[in-house]
Amino acid sequence: DEEKQIYHLEKAAIGGHSNARHQLACLESEVFGREERAVKHWIIAAKQGDVESMGVLKICYREGSISKEDFAAALRGHHAAVDAAKSPQREKARTYMQKLEQIKIARQMAERG
């Protein structure tokens, strides 16, 4: 049910879930054709650190859908959110996950050959 989907995305977005905000922007753009509203959602999501929204905003900027000032503000907010999320624990976890992925790939290659 599309109505329920939108309701729950809006609730999550209001609660600070950046991916829900991004998905809401996509719906606004692709389903309802409300580009200005979609851009506002993407800007908020990008300022929360959402990588996909920042990518969409880059495209919007190249196409002239948003101003240089709005894009610059979103980029600054995005960098601030990403920097704020950095910590030694997260870096350690990222390194650990990369090692696990390397082990998984090595095992798959060993099984094949």
Side-chain angles (χ1 to χ4, degrees):
D1 181 358
E2 192 175 279
E3 206 171 291
K4 278 187 181 180
Q5 178 188 14
I6 293 169
Y7 171 80
H8 289 291
L9 283 174
E10 286 175 344
K11 281 289 201 187
I14 290 167
H17 194 282
S18 63
N19 188 264
R21 178 78 64 178
H22 174 78
Q23 290 178 26
L24 198 54
C26 292
L27 278 175
E28 290 288 358
S29 175
E30 296 167 15
V31 177
F32 303 116
R34 297 188 285 227
E35 288 299 317
E36 281 186 37
R37 193 168 171 161
V39 167
K40 288 178 184 179
H41 284 302
W42 281 317
I43 288 172
I44 293 167
K47 288 180 177 181
Q48 293 174 329
D50 189 77
V51 176
E52 287 182 277
S53 293
M54 198 64 236
V56 173
L57 289 174
K58 286 178 188 176
I59 294 167
C60 290
Y61 175 65
R62 275 187 249 144
E63 294 175 349
S65 301
I66 62 170
S67 69
K68 184 176 182 176
E69 294 79 20
D70 287 343
F71 180 72
L75 187 59
R76 283 191 302 273
H78 177 76
H79 284 228
V82 170
D83 288 344
K86 290 181 181 175
S87 72
Q89 294 88 356
R90 285 179 189 246
E91 187 59 34
K92 200 173 188 179
R94 187 180 63 77
T95 302
Y96 176 75
M97 294 303 290
Q98 286 175 335
K99 286 180 183 178
L100 283 180
E101 186 63 27
Q102 289 171 351
I103 292 168
K104 179 182 169 184
I105 291 169
R107 284 183 182 160
Q108 289 173 346
M109 291 176 70
E111 289 174 2
R112 290 184 192 148

